[in-house]
């Protein structure tokens, strides 16, 4: 999984009709979206690190008996002018061909994972997934969403655009808030016209960290504990988080040092989405894009 913040190898024990069970994981915070030239291309140094990580991951996967290796890349590679060339270079060096997912692909596959996790009894779902480069939105009452949308409101992207100071200045907060609400408002009608969701769901590390800051159970308690982001609690926490330095945010429960700088942007996007979709809480789902890709692959193997 080549994302904007992290490159992640996940090895799963999986077969059709069963939940994919994680067997091994290794990751590196490469921060591709920050390792760009002035023209927006992925730097040579970042490409070299990415190739090394993928090559090492292949050996780990082979040693652990993996029968198949699949790779995919999201907005950091998708948005880079040399993204296609980077994928070709990785394939030449390692033999791994990264599938370049569109934002809509990400939204649809994440929705599939959330539907499988919550089941049919959850009714219509609204799914939000925020990454480093983009925010994915999808809604539906079936396994395929009625509509899937991607907007360039990733926590890393907004942080680079608006959070030059530490702590972030009120003027920067206001501009970021205005941008987030404007972009979500432009697409909200495409989702709300299908009806109100029975469950509004959040996936991704940004949402998990926000929930943890607001008192949700730690990851050590397992994936089946109900965790939520409450709109009222978020309203109380947002000014506190915004006034903190990055170092102070890193001391909050559940917030990693590598992601602390993006917490303000993530909170602002979350607040904007909850307000514009009029949802009082977001329920966290432990499955997201990676699981959606695995489940789709298993479905295709069965057919």
């Amino acid at each position: 999984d080549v994302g904007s913040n992290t490159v992640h190898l996940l090895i799963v024990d999986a077969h059709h009709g069963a939940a994919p069970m994680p067997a091994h994981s290794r990751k590196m915070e490469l921060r591709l979206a920050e390792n760009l030239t002035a023209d927006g291309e992925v730097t040579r140094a970042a490409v070299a690190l990415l190739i090394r990580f993928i090559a090492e991951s292949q050996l780990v996967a082979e040693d652990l008996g993996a029968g198949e290796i699949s790779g995919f890349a999201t907005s950091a590679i998708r948005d880079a002018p040399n993204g296609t060339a980077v994928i070709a270079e990785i394939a030449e060096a390692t033999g791994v061909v990264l599938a370049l997912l569109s934002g809509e692909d990400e939204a649809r596959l994440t929705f599939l994972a959330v539907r499988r996790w919550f089941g049919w009894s959850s009714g219509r779902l609204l799914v939000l997934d925020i990454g480093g480069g983009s925010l994915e939105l999808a809604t539906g009452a079936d396994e395929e969403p009625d509509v899937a949308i991607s907007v360039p409101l990733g926590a890393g992207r907004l942080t680079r655009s608006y959070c030059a100071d530490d702590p972030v200045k009120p003027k920067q907060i206001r501009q970021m808030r205005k941008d987030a609400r404007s972009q979500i408002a432009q697409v909200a009608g495409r989702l709300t016209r299908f009806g109100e969701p029975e469950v509004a769901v959040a996936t991704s590390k940004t949402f998990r960290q926000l929930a943890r800051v607001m008192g949700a159970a730690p990851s050590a308690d397992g994936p089946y504990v109900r965790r939520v982001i409450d709109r009222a609690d978020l309203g109380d926490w947002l000014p506190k988080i915004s006034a903190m330095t990055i170092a102070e945010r890193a001391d909050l429960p559940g917030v990693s040092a590598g992601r602390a700088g993006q917490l303000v942007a993530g909170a602002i996007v979350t607040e904007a989405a909850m307000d514009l979709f009029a949802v009082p809480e977001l329920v966290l789902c432990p499955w997201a894009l990676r699981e959606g890709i695995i489940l789709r692959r298993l479905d295709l193997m069965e057919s």
Side-chain angles (χ1 to χ4, degrees), residues 5 31 33-34 130-133 152-166 168 172-173 176 179 206 246 249 258-269:
N5 289 309
R31 298 194 174 279
E34 297 175 12
I130 185 170
L153 289 175
R157 185 190 299 270
L158 290 179
T159 299
R160 291 190 300 275
S161 297
Y162 294 104
C163 302
D165 296 296
D166 182 25
V168 188
Q172 295 167 332
I173 295 289
M176 183 163 41
D179 185 16
T206 295
I246 294 174
R249 283 179 240 138
R259 297 289 185 103
Q262 300 182 13
L263 194 65
V264 173
I268 285 174
V269 172

Side-chain angles (χ1 to χ4, degrees), residues 196-209:
E196 294 184 5
E198 273 75 36
V199 184
V201 181
T203 73
S204 82
K205 189 168 185 176
T206 295
F207 288 126
R208 291 197 300 273
Q209 290 191 343

Side-chain angles (χ1 to χ4, degrees), residues 1-2 69-73 96-100:
D1 173 0
V2 181
I69 299 176
S70 298
F72 65 93
V96 174
V97 180
L98 296 177
L100 188 58

Side-chain angles (χ1 to χ4, degrees), residues 241-259:
I241 294 171
S242 301
M244 293 178 180
T245 64
I246 294 174
E248 289 169 338
R249 283 179 240 138
D251 285 336
L252 294 171
V255 178
S256 65
R259 297 289 185 103

Side-chain angles (χ1 to χ4, degrees), residues 20-223:
M21 300 298 294
H24 181 78
S25 174
R26 72 188 297 259
K27 65 180 67 176
M28 174 178 62
E29 284 200 353
L30 180 54
R31 298 194 174 279
L32 277 178
E34 297 175 12
N35 283 282
L36 303 175
T37 67
D39 296 328
E41 294 190 343
V42 181
T43 65
R44 296 305 309 159
V47 173
L49 287 171
L50 182 55
I51 288 174
R52 188 174 76 182
F53 180 87
I54 291 175
E56 291 172 350
S57 295
Q58 283 180 286
L59 295 176
V60 171
E62 291 168 5
D63 287 347
L64 293 175
E68 180 178 345
I69 299 176
S70 298
F72 65 93
T74 55
S75 64
I77 301 291
R78 183 170 69 232
D79 295 342
N82 65 334
T84 302
V86 170
I87 288 176
E89 186 173 348
I90 291 169
E92 177 69 23
T94 68
V96 174
V97 180
L98 296 177
L100 188 58
L101 299 181
S102 69
E104 182 176 317
D105 290 336
E106 289 187 55
R108 289 186 176 279
L109 289 164
T110 301
F111 186 91
L112 170 65
V114 172
R115 171 59 72 193
R116 294 280 179 91
W117 180 269
F118 282 98
W120 299 110
S121 62
S122 56
R124 174 167 293 280
L125 299 172
L126 171 66
V127 178
L128 286 70
D129 180 29
I130 185 170
S134 58
L135 168 71
E136 276 66 54
L137 305 159
T139 187
D142 298 317
E143 194 155 89
E144 283 290 323
D146 295 315
V147 61
I149 299 170
S150 178
V151 290
L153 289 175
R157 185 190 299 270
L158 290 179
T159 299
R160 291 190 300 275
S161 297
Y162 294 104
C163 302
D165 296 296
D166 182 25
V168 188
K169 292 182 178 179
K171 182 179 179 180
Q172 295 167 332
I173 295 289
R174 183 175 178 182
Q175 291 173 334
M176 183 163 41
R177 183 178 184 273
K178 180 181 178 181
D179 185 16
R181 287 175 180 259
S182 173
Q183 292 200 50
I184 295 173
Q186 290 177 40
V187 301
R190 294 170 57 188
L191 292 98
T192 56
R193 71 185 183 89
F194 289 99
E196 294 184 5
E198 273 75 36
V199 184
V201 181
T203 73
S204 82
K205 189 168 185 176
T206 295
F207 288 126
R208 291 197 300 273
Q209 290 191 343
L210 283 172
R212 184 74 181 92
V213 167
M214 292 183 281
S219 58
D221 286 1

